[in-house]
């Protein structure tokens, strides 16, 4: 973790119309999302995919980096340019950003799938597929422990 700082991954950048990355993720993840003039989600309904918890207050949601920033740093992002880290932290194209309950996101922290798995086992297939997609796209390394747990999680796919 030498040299790691969350600040090296500029996140929640502007996406136009006064919206930042967080607000875009909240809108795409929720139903009936209404935003104020500053683009902040003021109402809507979300279901946290990690634990199935229904949420009606956007302030009780975190935007999770599927592959946590610290994990990315340990697996290759430390050698990236600042621009590449910014792209990773704000990636709206790949399955990298999810609106999830704050409690579940904080229990995950910067852990990989070998250390933490979504409590909702029905989400394991999607989680493992998304993790693999993100790591592959960004050419990040995978530890043996990650690989073993990801294989187990992928075996839940029907």
């Amino acid at each position: 973790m030498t040299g790691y700082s969350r600040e090296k991954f500029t996140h929640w950048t502007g996406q136009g119309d006064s919206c930042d990355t967080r607000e875009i993720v909240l809108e795409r993840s929720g139903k009936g999302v209404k935003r104020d003039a500053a683009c902040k989600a003021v109402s809507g309904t979300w279901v946290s995919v990690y634990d199935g918890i229904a949420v009606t207050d956007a302030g009780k949601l975190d935007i999770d980096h599927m592959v946590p920033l610290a994990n990315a740093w340990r697996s290759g992002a430390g050698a990236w340019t600042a621009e590449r880290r910014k792209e990773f932290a704000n990636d709206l194209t790949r399955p990298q950003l999810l609106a999830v309950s704050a409690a579940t996101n904080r229990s995950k922290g910067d852990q990989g799938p070998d250390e933490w798995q979504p409590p909702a086992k029905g989400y394991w297939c999607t989680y493992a597929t998304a993790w693999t997609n993100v790591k592959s796209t960004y050419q990040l390394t995978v530890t043996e422990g990650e690989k073993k747990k990801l294989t187990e999680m992928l075996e839940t796919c029907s």
Side-chain angles (χ1 to χ4, degrees):
M1 293 297 287
T2 302
Y4 172 74
S5 167
R6 190 169 169 80
E7 287 71 40
K8 290 186 177 182
F9 289 83
T10 305
H11 52 288
W12 309 163
T13 58
Q15 300 292 334
D17 295 328
S18 300
C19 298
D20 64 18
T21 304
R22 174 184 166 75
E23 297 305 326
I24 298 297
V25 174
L26 286 170
E27 182 178 45
R28 78 176 186 195
S29 300
K31 291 187 178 159
V33 177
K34 302 241 187 293
R35 300 187 300 200
D36 64 15
C39 195
K40 300 293 181 215
V42 293
S43 66
T45 304
W46 297 265
V47 176
S48 172
V49 294
Y50 288 166
D51 52 20
I53 294 174
V55 178
T56 56
D57 177 356
K60 294 188 178 185
L61 294 166
D62 280 354
I63 304 305
D64 179 50
H65 290 93
M66 168 68 65
V67 173
L69 305 179
N71 183 289
W73 183 270
R74 288 190 299 267
S75 57
W80 292 349
T81 64
E83 189 59 33
R84 183 72 167 160
R85 287 191 296 270
K86 178 180 173 182
E87 176 189 333
F88 178 81
N90 294 279
D91 189 343
L92 292 167
T93 305
R94 277 155 283 284
Q96 170 62 348
L97 299 172
L98 302 168
V100 298
S101 68
T104 305
N105 186 46
R106 291 167 194 173
S107 74
K108 177 185 174 197
D110 69 353
Q111 300 175 90
D114 51 328
E115 302 165 306
W116 183 91
Q117 305 84 44
K121 287 191 177 185
Y123 193 70
W124 281 19
C125 175
T126 302
Y127 182 84
T129 302
W131 183 279
T132 303
N133 177 303
V134 171
K135 284 264 183 149
S136 174
T137 297
Y138 285 94
Q139 299 179 330
L140 296 169
T141 61
V142 176
T143 67
E144 283 301 315
E146 278 179 63
K147 183 178 177 182
K148 182 178 180 191
K149 192 62 180 186
L150 287 167
T151 300
E152 179 185 325
M153 294 172 86
L154 288 168
E155 288 170 357
T156 68
C157 301
S158 50

